[in-house]
Amino acid sequence: MTQPSDSMISVEEARERILAFFARLEPERRPVLDALGQVLAEDVVAPFDIPPLDNTAMDGYAVRAADTTGAGEDTPRELRVIAELAAGAVPDMTVGPGEAVRIMTGAPMPAGADAVVPFEETDEPLRGVNERPRKGGTVRVLKAAGVAANIRFRGEDVRAGRVVIPAGRVLRPSEVGVLASLGMSEASVYRRPVVAILSTGDEVTEPGRPLQPGHIYDANGYSVAALVRKYGGVPRLLGIARDTVEDLTARIREGLDADMIITSAGVSRGDFDVVKDVLAREGSIDFWTVRMKPGKPLAFGAFAAPGGRRVPHLGLPGNPVSSMVSFELFGRAAIFTMLGRGDWERPVIRAITRDEVRNVDGRRFFARCIVTRGEDGRWYADLTGPQGSGILTSMSAANGLTIIPEDVPVAHPGDEIDVMMLDWEHAP
Ligand code: AMP
Ligand code: MG
């Protein structure tokens, strides 16, 4: 048990101290679709060539290019159609001089042919639908084809034995597709962290239950759980702990098998000591004052779990905006680290503020804003109304957070400021 300490630290220092507790989790095999957003633990090596065979990129006629030399609208070259090939067929014929095979996109090239003439460059479109040439009929080629025209060659996408996706890569939809194209139904990825989430406070009520006078609904448990899931973790809601030693202790113990425990509220100066006492008694904890707004109070420590395990504990402030912003800055980085992802840093863009942003108390100000592109092609930031740390709708309306530095007391309308983007897809 450590005594609460009350030093003012920077966002970076808080994050560094927190991340020192986290490491990548162990690998596991997952179905490729479930592994979306997880990090590959092993190189993925192609077991075969893709495409596996030379095949046609167009519907048309597989021909010998030499047979089409000099072909034109007025000088068609007539070829005998010896067969028809659909995608999935296995060709057993050879295209000889003066011959062609009617062939559909994706079908393997027959032996002897070295080019595909698309239907549009033959007389096929000029015929009626029921007059397409059958085996034994003829087709007229209206344009010369070069050798290799419209052929997709074996291995041109992926060569057998090559590393197609290296270990460490985050699986996006395109990687999921590539894995599937290699015939893989599972991938080896670092496990998703299970994050136990506990709201605290005698006034906090579970949504869906009747609200007593003076009480509020639990926003934090749900917003944080949603963020955990969004960033690739598995949230586990532990419910709401009363501000009593017994209830808090019991609920924390229910979360000790998780990879991380997140609590909200009970970490600021004015709080009943019972929360801090219990947090400290169940492990070690530091109470920090972080030079940021919102989210100044923050707690971080570790609970002692059975078997000598230590479960990292992030204690978020109670105010709903503070708790979300603190999670964005610290919890997200912790989850990414456990997932094996180093890319937790948010994209920061330069935008022109249209509002005055006052920053009076020397902290870094993460004001909620909405960023849009102006008609001049530049990015503009508008604050999302009142910025109180209890006003959760200000977060809901935002797609970014201003980063007004600690030593900048005011940004004036027209000033260029940094904005940390939370959500590129959320447009007003
Ligand atoms: P505290 O850190 O306990 O002083 O809480 C700060 C503020 O956040 C108080 O107004 C609490 O009522 C509020 N609060 C605490 N927990 C929650 C929660 N889970 N959902 C919404 N508001 C909360
Ligand atoms: Mg409280």
Side-chain angles (χ1 to χ4, degrees), residues 171-391:
L171 298 184
R172 300 169 303 163
S174 49
E175 281 77 24
V176 171
V178 169
L179 288 167
S181 77
L182 295 171
M184 297 173 183
S185 58
E186 292 186 345
S188 172
V189 290
Y190 297 108
R191 180 169 71 75
R192 295 183 190 279
V194 174
V195 180
I197 299 159
L198 179 63
S199 300
T200 69
D202 287 337
E203 79 284 24
V204 183
T205 305
E206 182 67 29
R209 301 250 170 89
L211 196 63
Q212 305 300 321
H215 286 214
I216 55 165
Y217 282 122
D218 176 16
N220 298 347
Y222 287 86
S223 59
V224 170
L227 289 170
V228 166
R229 183 174 294 168
K230 180 177 173 189
Y231 298 142
V234 181
R236 210 171 88 210
L237 286 165
L238 298 177
I240 302 156
R242 303 291 122 218
D243 288 324
T244 65
V245 175
E246 296 71 30
D247 198 30
L248 258 164
T249 308
R251 290 193 189 254
I252 285 168
R253 289 185 179 165
E254 276 172 37
L256 288 179
D257 56 345
D259 297 296
M260 176 182 191
I261 296 180
I262 296 184
T263 58
S264 70
V267 295
S268 54
R269 276 171 196 273
D271 278 305
F272 277 121
D273 283 342
V274 60
V275 178
K276 293 179 172 177
D277 275 358
V278 172
L279 296 181
R281 189 140 47 86
E282 293 295 300
S284 61
I285 191 149
D286 279 326
F287 295 91
W288 297 336
T289 308
V290 185
R291 205 170 288 119
M292 63 185 276
K293 181 170 62 183
K296 181 165 72 170
L298 190 74
F300 187 74
F303 291 122
R309 261 179 80 240
R310 289 169 64 76
V311 187
H313 165 222
L314 179 62
L316 300 172
N319 277 308
V321 176
S322 310
S323 110
M324 281 194 85
V325 171
S326 302
F327 183 88
E328 288 281 359
L329 293 176
F330 308 114
R332 173 181 141 100
I335 286 180
F336 271 40
T337 302
M338 287 188 276
L339 283 168
R341 295 183 64 161
D343 57 339
W344 45 261
E345 198 79 70
R346 285 276 187 195
V348 173
I349 62 165
R350 298 286 287 168
I352 298 158
T353 177
R354 284 195 274 234
D355 293 307
E356 183 177 271
V357 192
R358 297 203 146 272
N359 186 28
V360 286
D361 48 4
R363 292 187 274 158
R364 196 174 304 171
F365 189 16
F366 297 101
R368 278 70 72 202
C369 67
I370 183 88
V371 170
T372 47
R373 205 195 266 283
E375 275 172 13
D376 58 4
R378 304 170 74 184
W379 294 109
Y380 286 87
D382 297 285
L383 296 188
T384 58
Q387 294 292 316
S389 56
I391 301 176

